[in-house]
Every structure is written in C-alpha cells, then in structure tokens.
Amino acid sequence: SVPRVPETQDITRMERIGAHSHIRGLGLDDALEARMVSQGMVGQVNARRAAGVMLRIIQEGKIAGRALLIAGQPGTGKTAIAMGMAQALGADTPFTMLSGSEIYSLEMSRTEALTQAFRRSIGVRIKEETEIIEGEVVEVQIDKPAAGGGEKRGKLTLKTTEMETIYDLGAKMIEGLQKEKVQAGDVITIDKASGKISKLGRSFTRARDFDAMGSATKFVQCPEGELQKRKEVVHTVTLHEMDVINSRSQGFLALFSGDTGEIKAEIREQIDTKVSEWREEGKADIVPGVLFIDEVHMLDIECYSFLNRALESPTAPVLVFATNRGITRIRGTNYKGPHGMPIDLLDRLLIISTEPYSEKEVSQILHIRCEEEDVEMTDDARELLTKIAMETSLRYAIHMITTASLVCARRKGTEVDIQDIKRVYTLFCDVK
C-alpha cells in the first residue's frame, strides 16, 4: 500500500514568556470603564480609563499629532498600559516601541532615527482588485512524458454550483498544485496575475470521508456563481517600508537586512505625494498608529525640539511617552524640568499618572504571573511573596516565581511552598 503523507499544519508562532506577555488588552468594558481584573490588567483604574479614551481617538484615526505621557514610580504598570493599548489596537494598526536611549546607539543622526520611528508608526492601507478563479476541484489529471524528458502537462477540472470548466495546466501550475497537495474535493483559489494557489478547505460534499482526513480538516461550501471573480485585496504597509523599498537599489531586501541607513528627504516627499494621490483616488487610506517611547527622559533637547515640530505634521502618529522621573535635568541643558522634559513640549501632552499598587492588587498580579509561567503555588507562599513585593518591589517578587519553582522541582515537589520562597530569598539579596 502507498504510505500516507501526514498533512502539514500551519506553524503556530511561539512566544517566550516576557515581562508583559500576560497582557491581552486594557481590560475595559464598552463604556470605557475599567474592570478591576481583566485581560491581564490589575488596578490602575483611572490610568486605564484615560488610556481607553486615547485608544478610541486612535481607532477613529481622525486626529493626528496627539501625545500622551504616562508618569509614575517604577513598577506601577506604565509599560503594561502601553502594551495593553497595542493589544487592543490589533495587528492592523502600527505600534512601534522605542527606548529613549536606543537612538544614541544607531549609526545615524538622532532626528533621522526619530523620523524613521515616526514613519514606522503610520500605516497605508492599499486596496487593489485582482481576478481570481475559485472553485471545487473535480479532477486533477497530470500526464508525465513517457521518455522522462519534456514538460509535464495536465488538466484541472473546477466547478461551482452553476458551472464546470476544464483548464489546461503548464509545468508551473502543476508544481503549485503538487506543493499545496491539491486533490479532488478541495476548494481552491488561483490568483490569475501571480498564479498563486490557495487551498480554502474541503468541500462539504466530502464530509463523509471525515475519518480518513483527521479532525484538523476545514470544510467549506462549494463556491457559487461564476468561476472567475473580481476580489478586492487590502495590504497594509508602513510609510517607512515604502521609504526603504524606494531608497535602496536592492529594494525590499533592505527590509530584511535591517541596514536601512539614512533616507533622503526627496524620497520621503515623493512617497508622501504618491500616497496623497492614492487617497484622493480612493485606492488607499492612512492608518495612524502609535509610537511608544519608554524612558523618554533619556532624550536630549535636540530630540525634544524635533518632536515639537513633528507633532504638527498632519500624518503624525499618536505619541505615548513613559517616564519614572520627577523634576530632573533636561539632557543637553543645565536646566531642570518636570520629567526631564522642556515646558513647551509638556504643554502639548495629556498626562496619565500611575499609582503604586495596593497589597491586594500585588497578590492578584502575582497570581496572574504564576498562571502565565505555569507555576503552581500555595496560598501561603503567595502571601509571603506578596509581603516581599510590598517590602522590596513587584519586579523582584515576579523574578522569584520561576526561581522558586526550580527549587521546588529540585526537591520533587508539585507546588511552590513557603520553604521554597524562603530558600530563594536567602540565595539572592534585594537591594532595598
């Protein structure tokens, strides 16, 4: 018997457990009221409510150049709020994260680094119509040449609920069908311009063969109407990607190398003019995104004056800054200012303040982190860890979760207990 080749399934993107990987959104209801514990967010009700209002402004996409400053003590969830905004906006809205110190380590001027970050945060949704052939495969017939040489030839029979057509196949199409493992009963689409074949699933008429296919098989209806259809395809690219593709001789390959270098202003002007034309013709829409700059007090006066001007641009994204400094020196000057920022830029900002977490909120955050890191912990151990967090810092307590679980595994335990927390606490010292 012929050995059956197992079906290939889509590879799921694996994510490492990070400091904010448990955040799924801002945890707001439809009225923008913050739930106490929701989507990985705990407490900070006023700050989340304010961030929700900004989120609504971003989603409507009508107002450009708004800036927001999230200020508070270390470990009060400033970056978590920004990550919650990114998750709530979804994959289609560009969200760029940048640390204030990053721009000093790049091989380009600081203003160029900020310009690139700005343009990474502005998406262009381009609409185009393509012709496709969509139908259910009735038969795939491939004729191999007898002598072994020459090109393969074949015929493909496709049908909809109303019609049936036979197509002649060339070598490229045969290769595409074999690569996608297309067989009779599959519902496929073929892009006429590129020849790309996409498998949508199995036809419902083949549902009785379910046992031979496996539970992962997706069933779809047989397409209706004509075999040839016009379909609108939407691509979302950022202005920075368009700049890179048009500025380098190797085109889009520069996107993968990461070495974009400085981009000339003339190229950006040409891109902006072209995008404006597409908008007027209805071919494209601008998708204003978010640029999040953490540790914003690390920027200097040159960067701040650039941001002041850049915020006035009609295509500016929404800026979100975060800082944990109070009155501190403005970098590049001898003057002090609130959050290390000049007053003229502070005038443009809406400021969200974060408050220190209560003991109950810290306990809930530690519980969420235990679930995220897949660590079983007794209530007594979590209570002790909460006490440590209140005396030292929340971040220190979160780091102790995994180390305590390793100590627990060493003694072949199933749940992290008080003795494991105490053992870890003696191994490492806290700075407070």
Side-chain angles (χ1 to χ4, degrees), residues 314-394:
T315 54
V318 172
L319 258 76
V320 180
F321 300 131
T323 180
N324 54 25
R325 301 295 165 96
I327 304 289
T328 187
R329 190 174 70 84
I330 301 166
R331 197 165 171 170
T333 71
N334 293 321
Y335 302 106
K336 286 191 174 183
H339 313 298
M341 300 173 79
I343 299 295
D344 56 343
L345 181 58
L346 275 170
D347 286 343
R348 294 177 184 269
L349 305 179
L350 293 168
I351 300 175
I352 293 176
S353 178
T354 56
E355 302 295 327
Y357 290 111
S358 68
E359 193 169 332
K360 186 183 174 186
E361 288 167 352
V362 167
S363 179
Q364 286 171 327
I365 291 167
L366 291 172
H367 177 65
I368 290 167
R369 288 302 304 179
C370 285
E371 286 182 346
E372 180 71 15
E373 296 179 28
D374 204 15
V375 173
E376 293 284 334
M377 189 179 286
T378 63
D379 292 342
D380 291 342
R382 198 165 80 241
E383 200 176 308
L384 176 60
L385 201 59
T386 305
K387 194 179 175 188
I388 292 169
M390 295 306 290
E391 288 176 4
T392 56
S393 74
L394 176 60

Coordinates of all heavy atoms in Angstrom, one line a residue, residues 314-394:
P314 N 0.5 66.7 9.6 CA -0.9 66.0 9.5 C -0.9 64.5 9.5 O -1.9 63.9 9.8 CB -1.4 66.6 8.2 CG -0.2 67.0 7.4 CD 0.8 67.4 8.4
T315 N 0.3 63.9 9.2 CA 0.4 62.5 9.2 C 1.1 61.9 10.5 O 1.6 60.8 10.5 CB 1.1 62.0 8.0 OG1 2.4 62.6 7.9 CG2 0.4 62.2 6.7
A316 N 1.2 62.7 11.5 CA 1.9 62.3 12.7 C 1.1 61.2 13.4 O -0.1 61.3 13.5 CB 2.1 63.5 13.7
P317 N 1.8 60.2 14.0 CA 1.1 59.2 14.8 C 0.7 59.7 16.2 O 1.1 60.8 16.5 CB 2.1 58.0 14.9 CG 3.4 58.7 14.8 CD 3.2 59.9 13.9
V318 N 0.0 58.9 16.9 CA -0.2 59.3 18.4 C 1.1 58.9 19.1 O 1.5 57.8 19.0 CB -1.5 58.6 18.9 CG1 -1.6 58.9 20.4 CG2 -2.7 59.1 18.2
L319 N 1.6 59.8 19.9 CA 2.8 59.6 20.6 C 2.5 59.2 22.1 O 1.6 59.9 22.7 CB 3.8 60.8 20.6 CG 5.0 60.7 19.7 CD1 4.5 60.9 18.3 CD2 6.0 61.7 20.0
V320 N 3.1 58.2 22.6 CA 2.9 57.8 24.0 C 4.3 57.7 24.6 O 5.2 57.0 24.2 CB 2.2 56.4 24.2 CG1 2.0 56.1 25.6 CG2 0.8 56.4 23.5
F321 N 4.5 58.6 25.6 CA 5.8 58.6 26.4 C 5.6 58.0 27.7 O 4.5 58.0 28.3 CB 6.2 60.1 26.6 CG 6.5 60.9 25.3 CD1 5.9 62.1 25.2 CD2 7.2 60.4 24.3 CE1 6.1 62.9 24.1 CE2 7.4 61.1 23.1 CZ 6.9 62.4 23.0
A322 N 6.7 57.4 28.3 CA 6.6 56.9 29.7 C 7.9 57.3 30.4 O 9.0 57.3 29.8 CB 6.5 55.4 29.6
T323 N 7.8 57.7 31.6 CA 9.0 58.1 32.4 C 8.7 57.8 33.9 O 7.5 57.9 34.3 CB 9.4 59.5 32.2 OG1 10.5 59.8 33.0 CG2 8.3 60.5 32.5
N324 N 9.8 57.6 34.6 CA 9.6 57.4 36.1 C 10.4 58.4 36.9 O 10.6 58.3 38.0 CB 10.0 56.0 36.5 CG 11.5 55.7 36.1 OD1 12.3 56.6 35.8 ND2 11.8 54.4 35.9
R325 N 10.8 59.5 36.2 CA 11.5 60.6 36.8 C 10.6 61.8 37.2 O 9.6 62.0 36.6 CB 12.6 61.1 35.9 CG 13.6 60.1 35.4 CD 14.4 59.6 36.6 NE 15.1 58.3 36.3 CZ 16.3 58.3 35.9 NH1 17.1 59.4 35.7 NH2 16.9 57.1 35.6
G326 N 11.0 62.5 38.3 CA 10.2 63.7 38.7 C 10.9 64.9 38.1 O 11.1 65.0 36.9
I327 N 11.2 65.9 38.9 CA 12.0 67.0 38.5 C 13.4 66.6 38.3 O 14.1 66.2 39.2 CB 11.9 68.2 39.5 CG1 10.5 68.6 39.8 CG2 12.7 69.4 39.0 CD1 9.7 69.3 38.8
T328 N 13.9 66.7 37.0 CA 15.3 66.2 36.7 C 15.8 67.1 35.6 O 15.1 67.8 34.9 CB 15.3 64.7 36.4 OG1 16.6 64.3 36.3 CG2 14.5 64.4 35.1
R329 N 17.1 67.0 35.4 CA 17.8 67.8 34.4 C 17.4 67.4 33.0 O 17.3 66.3 32.7 CB 19.3 67.7 34.6 CG 20.1 68.7 33.7 CD 21.6 68.7 34.1 NE 22.2 67.4 33.6 CZ 22.7 67.2 32.3 NH1 22.6 68.2 31.4 NH2 23.2 66.1 32.0
I330 N 17.1 68.5 32.2 CA 16.8 68.2 30.8 C 18.1 68.0 30.1 O 19.0 68.8 30.1 CB 16.1 69.4 30.1 CG1 14.8 69.7 30.9 CG2 15.8 69.2 28.6 CD1 14.2 71.1 30.5
R331 N 18.3 66.8 29.5 CA 19.5 66.4 28.9 C 19.9 67.4 27.8 O 19.1 67.8 26.9 CB 19.4 65.0 28.3 CG 20.7 64.3 28.0 CD 20.5 62.8 27.8 NE 21.7 62.3 27.3 CZ 22.0 61.0 27.2 NH1 21.1 60.1 27.5 NH2 23.1 60.5 26.7
G332 N 21.2 67.8 27.8 CA 21.7 68.8 26.8 C 21.6 70.2 27.2 O 22.0 71.1 26.5
T333 N 21.1 70.4 28.5 CA 21.0 71.8 29.0 C 21.4 71.7 30.5 O 21.6 70.6 31.0 CB 19.5 72.3 29.0 OG1 18.7 71.6 29.9 CG2 18.9 72.2 27.6
N334 N 21.4 72.9 31.1 CA 21.7 72.9 32.6 C 20.4 73.2 33.4 O 20.5 73.4 34.6 CB 22.7 74.0 32.9 CG 24.1 73.7 32.3 OD1 24.5 72.6 32.3 ND2 24.7 74.7 31.7
Y335 N 19.3 73.2 32.7 CA 18.0 73.5 33.3 C 17.3 72.2 33.8 O 17.5 71.1 33.2 CB 17.1 74.2 32.4 CG 17.7 75.5 31.9 CD1 18.1 75.6 30.6 CD2 17.8 76.6 32.7 CE1 18.7 76.8 30.1 CE2 18.4 77.8 32.3 CZ 18.8 77.9 30.9 OH 19.3 79.0 30.5
K336 N 16.5 72.3 34.8 CA 15.7 71.2 35.3 C 14.3 71.4 34.9 O 13.8 72.5 34.7 CB 15.8 71.1 36.8 CG 17.1 70.5 37.3 CD 17.1 70.2 38.8 CE 18.4 69.5 39.2 NZ 18.3 69.1 40.6
G337 N 13.6 70.3 34.6 CA 12.2 70.4 34.2 C 11.4 69.2 34.7 O 12.0 68.1 35.1
P338 N 10.1 69.2 34.8 CA 9.3 68.1 35.2 C 9.5 66.9 34.2 O 9.4 67.1 33.0 CB 7.8 68.6 35.1 CG 7.9 70.1 35.1 CD 9.2 70.4 34.4
H339 N 9.9 65.8 34.7 CA 10.1 64.5 33.9 C 11.3 64.7 33.0 O 11.4 63.9 32.0 CB 8.8 64.1 33.2 CG 7.6 64.1 34.0 ND1 7.4 63.3 35.1 CD2 6.5 64.9 33.9 CE1 6.2 63.6 35.6 NE2 5.7 64.5 34.9
G340 N 12.1 65.7 33.2 CA 13.3 65.9 32.3 C 12.9 66.4 30.9 O 13.6 66.1 30.0
M341 N 11.7 67.0 30.8 CA 11.2 67.5 29.5 C 11.0 69.0 29.5 O 10.6 69.6 30.5 CB 9.8 66.8 29.2 CG 9.9 65.3 29.1 SD 8.4 64.5 29.0 CE 8.0 64.7 27.3
P342 N 11.2 69.7 28.4 CA 11.0 71.1 28.3 C 9.5 71.5 28.4 O 8.7 70.7 28.0 CB 11.6 71.5 27.0 CG 11.7 70.3 26.2 CD 11.8 69.1 27.1
I343 N 9.2 72.6 29.0 CA 7.8 73.0 29.3 C 7.0 73.1 28.0 O 5.8 72.7 28.0 CB 7.8 74.4 30.0 CG1 8.6 74.3 31.4 CG2 6.4 74.9 30.2 CD1 7.9 73.4 32.4
D344 N 7.6 73.6 26.9 CA 6.8 73.8 25.6 C 6.3 72.4 25.1 O 5.2 72.4 24.5 CB 7.6 74.5 24.6 CG 8.9 73.9 24.2 OD1 9.4 73.0 25.0 OD2 9.5 74.2 23.2
L345 N 7.1 71.4 25.3 CA 6.6 70.0 24.9 C 5.6 69.5 25.9 O 4.6 68.9 25.5 CB 7.8 69.1 24.7 CG 7.4 67.6 24.3 CD1 6.7 67.7 22.9 CD2 8.6 66.8 24.2
L346 N 5.8 69.7 27.2 CA 4.8 69.3 28.2 C 3.5 69.9 28.0 O 2.4 69.3 28.3 CB 5.3 69.7 29.6 CG 6.3 68.7 30.3 CD1 6.9 69.3 31.5 CD2 5.7 67.4 30.6
D347 N 3.4 71.1 27.5 CA 2.1 71.8 27.2 C 1.3 71.0 26.2 O 0.1 71.1 26.1 CB 2.4 73.2 26.7 CG 2.8 74.2 27.8 OD1 2.6 73.8 28.9 OD2 3.4 75.3 27.5
R348 N 2.0 70.3 25.3 CA 1.3 69.5 24.3 C 0.8 68.2 24.8 O 0.0 67.5 24.0 CB 2.2 69.3 23.1 CG 2.6 70.5 22.3 CD 3.6 70.1 21.2 NE 4.1 71.3 20.5 CZ 3.6 71.8 19.4 NH1 2.5 71.3 18.9 NH2 4.1 72.8 18.9
L349 N 1.2 67.8 25.9 CA 0.9 66.4 26.4 C -0.3 66.3 27.3 O -0.6 67.2 28.1 CB 2.1 65.9 27.2 CG 3.5 65.9 26.5 CD1 4.5 65.3 27.5 CD2 3.5 65.1 25.2
L350 N -1.0 65.2 27.1 CA -2.0 64.8 28.2 C -1.3 63.8 29.1 O -0.6 62.9 28.6 CB -3.2 64.1 27.5 CG -4.1 64.9 26.6 CD1 -5.0 64.0 25.8 CD2 -4.9 65.9 27.4
I351 N -1.3 64.1 30.4 CA -0.5 63.3 31.3 C -1.4 62.3 32.1 O -2.4 62.7 32.7 CB 0.3 64.2 32.3 CG1 1.2 65.1 31.5 CG2 1.1 63.4 33.3 CD1 1.9 66.2 32.3
I352 N -1.0 61.0 32.1 CA -1.7 60.0 32.9 C -0.7 59.6 34.0 O 0.5 59.3 33.8 CB -2.0 58.7 32.0 CG1 -3.0 59.1 30.9 CG2 -2.5 57.6 32.9 CD1 -3.3 57.9 30.0
S353 N -1.2 59.7 35.2 CA -0.4 59.3 36.4 C -0.8 57.9 36.9 O -1.9 57.6 37.0 CB -0.7 60.3 37.5 OG 0.1 60.0 38.6
T354 N 0.3 57.1 37.2 CA 0.0 55.8 37.7 C 0.3 55.8 39.2 O 1.3 56.4 39.7 CB 0.9 54.7 37.0 OG1 2.3 55.1 37.1 CG2 0.5 54.6 35.6
E355 N -0.5 55.0 40.0 CA -0.3 55.0 41.4 C 0.3 53.7 41.9 O 0.1 52.7 41.2 CB -1.7 55.1 42.1 CG -2.5 56.3 41.7 CD -1.9 57.6 42.3 OE1 -1.2 57.6 43.3 OE2 -1.9 58.6 41.6
P356 N 1.0 53.6 43.0 CA 1.6 52.4 43.5 C 0.4 51.3 43.8 O -0.7 51.7 44.2 CB 2.3 52.7 44.8 CG 2.5 54.2 44.7 CD 1.4 54.8 43.9
Y357 N 0.7 50.1 43.5 CA -0.3 49.0 43.7 C -0.5 48.8 45.2 O 0.4 48.8 46.0 CB 0.1 47.7 43.1 CG 0.1 47.7 41.5 CD1 1.3 47.7 40.8 CD2 -1.1 47.8 40.8 CE1 1.3 47.7 39.4 CE2 -1.1 47.8 39.4 CZ 0.1 47.8 38.8 OH 0.1 47.8 37.4
S358 N -1.8 48.4 45.5 CA -2.1 48.0 46.9 C -1.7 46.6 47.1 O -1.4 45.9 46.1 CB -3.6 48.1 47.2 OG -4.3 47.2 46.4
E359 N -1.7 46.1 48.3 CA -1.3 44.7 48.6 C -2.2 43.7 47.9 O -1.7 42.7 47.4 CB -1.3 44.5 50.2 CG -0.6 43.2 50.6 CD -0.4 43.1 52.1 OE1 -0.3 44.2 52.8 OE2 -0.3 42.0 52.6
K360 N -3.5 44.0 47.9 CA -4.4 43.1 47.3 C -4.1 43.0 45.7 O -4.2 41.9 45.2 CB -5.8 43.5 47.5 CG -6.9 42.6 47.0 CD -8.3 43.2 47.2 CE -9.4 42.3 46.5 NZ -10.7 42.9 46.6
E361 N -3.8 44.1 45.1 CA -3.6 44.2 43.7 C -2.2 43.4 43.4 O -2.2 42.7 42.4 CB -3.5 45.6 43.2 CG -4.8 46.3 43.1 CD -4.8 47.8 43.0 OE1 -3.6 48.4 43.0 OE2 -5.8 48.4 42.8
V362 N -1.2 43.6 44.2 CA 0.0 42.9 44.1 C -0.2 41.4 44.1 O 0.4 40.6 43.3 CB 1.1 43.3 45.1 CG1 2.3 42.4 45.1 CG2 1.5 44.8 44.9
S363 N -1.0 40.9 45.1 CA -1.3 39.5 45.2 C -2.0 39.0 43.9 O -1.7 37.9 43.4 CB -2.2 39.3 46.4 OG -2.5 37.9 46.5
Q364 N -2.9 39.8 43.3 CA -3.6 39.4 42.1 C -2.6 39.3 40.9 O -2.7 38.4 40.1 CB -4.8 40.3 41.8 CG -5.9 40.1 42.7 CD -7.0 41.2 42.5 OE1 -6.7 42.4 42.3 NE2 -8.3 40.9 42.7
I365 N -1.7 40.3 40.8 CA -0.7 40.3 39.7 C 0.2 39.1 39.8 O 0.5 38.4 38.8 CB 0.1 41.6 39.8 CG1 -0.7 42.8 39.4 CG2 1.3 41.5 38.8 CD1 -0.1 44.2 39.7
L366 N 0.6 38.7 41.1 CA 1.5 37.5 41.3 C 0.7 36.3 40.9 O 1.3 35.3 40.3 CB 2.0 37.5 42.7 CG 3.0 38.6 43.1 CD1 3.2 38.5 44.6 CD2 4.3 38.4 42.4
H367 N -0.6 36.2 41.2 CA -1.4 35.1 40.8 C -1.5 34.9 39.3 O -1.3 33.8 38.7 CB -2.8 35.2 41.4 CG -3.8 34.1 41.0 ND1 -3.6 32.8 41.4 CD2 -4.9 34.1 40.2 CE1 -4.6 32.1 40.8 NE2 -5.3 32.9 40.1
I368 N -1.6 36.1 38.5 CA -1.7 36.1 37.1 C -0.3 35.6 36.5 O -0.3 34.8 35.6 CB -2.1 37.5 36.5 CG1 -3.5 37.8 36.8 CG2 -1.8 37.6 35.0 CD1 -4.0 39.2 36.6
R369 N 0.8 36.1 37.1 CA 2.1 35.7 36.6 C 2.4 34.2 36.9 O 3.0 33.6 36.0 CB 3.2 36.6 37.3 CG 3.2 38.0 36.9 CD 3.5 38.2 35.4 NE 4.7 37.5 34.9 CZ 5.1 37.5 33.7 NH1 4.3 38.2 32.8 NH2 6.1 36.9 33.3
C370 N 1.9 33.7 38.0 CA 2.1 32.3 38.3 C 1.4 31.4 37.2 O 1.9 30.4 36.7 CB 1.5 31.9 39.6 SG 2.5 32.4 41.0
E371 N 0.1 31.9 36.8 CA -0.6 31.2 35.7 C 0.2 31.3 34.4 O 0.3 30.3 33.6 CB -2.0 31.8 35.6 CG -2.9 31.4 36.7 CD -4.3 31.9 36.5 OE1 -4.5 32.8 35.7 OE2 -5.3 31.5 37.2
E372 N 0.7 32.5 34.1 CA 1.4 32.7 32.8 C 2.7 31.9 32.8 O 3.0 31.3 31.7 CB 1.8 34.2 32.7 CG 2.5 34.6 31.5 CD 1.7 34.6 30.2 OE1 0.4 34.5 30.3 OE2 2.3 34.6 29.1
E373 N 3.4 31.7 33.9 CA 4.6 31.0 33.9 C 4.4 29.5 34.2 O 5.3 28.7 34.4 CB 5.6 31.6 34.9 CG 6.0 33.0 34.5 CD 7.0 33.7 35.5 OE1 7.7 32.9 36.2 OE2 6.9 34.9 35.6
D374 N 3.1 29.1 34.4 CA 2.7 27.7 34.6 C 3.3 27.2 35.9 O 3.9 26.1 35.9 CB 3.1 26.9 33.4 CG 2.2 25.6 33.3 OD1 1.2 25.5 34.0 OD2 2.6 24.7 32.6
V375 N 3.2 28.0 37.0 CA 3.8 27.6 38.3 C 2.6 27.4 39.3 O 1.8 28.3 39.4 CB 4.8 28.7 38.8 CG1 5.2 28.4 40.2 CG2 6.0 28.8 37.8
E376 N 2.6 26.3 39.9 CA 1.6 26.0 41.0 C 2.2 26.5 42.3 O 3.3 26.2 42.6 CB 1.3 24.5 41.1 CG 0.6 23.9 39.9 CD -0.9 24.2 39.8 OE1 -1.5 24.5 40.9 OE2 -1.4 24.3 38.7
M377 N 1.4 27.4 43.0 CA 1.9 28.0 44.2 C 0.8 27.9 45.3 O -0.4 28.2 45.0 CB 2.3 29.4 44.0 CG 3.1 30.0 45.2 SD 3.6 31.7 44.8 CE 5.0 31.5 43.7
T378 N 1.2 27.6 46.5 CA 0.2 27.5 47.6 C -0.2 29.0 48.0 O 0.6 29.9 47.8 CB 0.8 26.8 48.8 OG1 1.9 27.6 49.3 CG2 1.2 25.4 48.5
D379 N -1.4 29.1 48.6 CA -1.8 30.4 49.1 C -0.9 31.1 50.1 O -0.6 32.3 50.0 CB -3.2 30.3 49.7 CG -4.3 30.0 48.6 OD1 -4.0 30.1 47.4 OD2 -5.4 29.5 49.0
D380 N -0.3 30.2 51.0 CA 0.6 30.8 52.0 C 1.9 31.3 51.3 O 2.4 32.4 51.7 CB 1.0 29.7 53.0 CG -0.2 29.3 53.9 OD1 -1.2 30.1 53.9 OD2 -0.2 28.2 54.5
A381 N 2.4 30.6 50.3 CA 3.6 31.0 49.6 C 3.3 32.3 48.9 O 4.2 33.2 48.9 CB 4.0 29.9 48.7
R382 N 2.1 32.4 48.3 CA 1.8 33.7 47.5 C 1.7 34.8 48.5 O 2.0 36.0 48.2 CB 0.6 33.5 46.7 CG 0.5 34.6 45.6 CD -0.5 34.3 44.5 NE -1.9 34.6 44.9 CZ -2.9 33.7 45.0 NH1 -2.7 32.5 44.7 NH2 -4.1 34.1 45.4
E383 N 1.2 34.6 49.7 CA 1.0 35.6 50.7 C 2.4 36.1 51.1 O 2.6 37.3 51.3 CB 0.3 35.0 51.9 CG -0.4 36.1 52.8 CD -1.2 35.4 53.9 OE1 -2.1 34.6 53.7 OE2 -0.9 35.8 55.1
L384 N 3.3 35.2 51.3 CA 4.7 35.6 51.7 C 5.4 36.4 50.6 O 6.0 37.4 50.8 CB 5.5 34.3 52.0 CG 7.0 34.5 52.3 CD1 7.2 35.4 53.6 CD2 7.7 33.2 52.5
L385 N 5.1 35.9 49.3 CA 5.7 36.6 48.1 C 5.1 38.0 48.0 O 5.9 38.9 47.6 CB 5.4 35.8 46.9 CG 6.3 36.0 45.7 CD1 7.8 35.8 46.0 CD2 5.9 35.2 44.5
T386 N 3.8 38.2 48.3 CA 3.2 39.5 48.3 C 3.8 40.4 49.3 O 4.1 41.6 49.1 CB 1.7 39.4 48.6 OG1 1.1 38.4 47.6 CG2 1.0 40.7 48.5
K387 N 4.1 39.9 50.5 CA 4.8 40.6 51.6 C 6.2 41.1 51.1 O 6.6 42.2 51.3 CB 4.9 39.8 52.8 CG 5.2 40.6 54.1 CD 5.2 39.7 55.3 CE 5.7 40.4 56.5 NZ 5.9 39.6 57.7
I388 N 6.9 40.2 50.5 CA 8.2 40.5 49.9 C 8.1 41.6 48.9 O 8.9 42.6 48.9 CB 8.9 39.3 49.4 CG1 9.3 38.3 50.5 CG2 10.2 39.6 48.6 CD1 9.7 36.9 50.0
A389 N 7.1 41.5 48.0 CA 6.9 42.5 47.0 C 6.6 43.9 47.6 O 7.1 44.9 47.0 CB 5.7 42.1 46.1
M390 N 5.8 43.9 48.7 CA 5.5 45.2 49.3 C 6.7 45.8 50.0 O 6.9 47.1 50.0 CB 4.4 45.1 50.3 CG 3.0 44.6 49.7 SD 2.4 45.6 48.4 CE 2.0 47.1 49.3
E391 N 7.6 45.0 50.5 CA 8.8 45.5 51.2 C 9.9 45.8 50.2 O 10.7 46.7 50.5 CB 9.3 44.5 52.2 CG 8.4 44.3 53.4 CD 8.8 43.2 54.4 OE1 9.9 42.6 54.1 OE2 8.1 43.0 55.4
T392 N 10.0 45.1 49.1 CA 11.1 45.3 48.1 C 10.5 46.0 46.9 O 10.3 47.2 46.8 CB 11.8 44.0 47.8 OG1 10.9 43.1 47.3 CG2 12.6 43.5 49.0
S393 N 10.2 45.2 45.9 CA 9.5 45.7 44.7 C 8.7 44.5 44.0 O 9.1 43.4 44.2 CB 10.5 46.3 43.7 OG 11.2 45.3 43.0
L394 N 7.8 44.9 43.2 CA 6.9 43.9 42.5 C 7.8 43.1 41.5 O 7.7 41.9 41.4 CB 5.8 44.6 41.8 CG 4.8 43.8 40.9 CD1 4.2 42.7 41.7 CD2 3.8 44.6 40.3

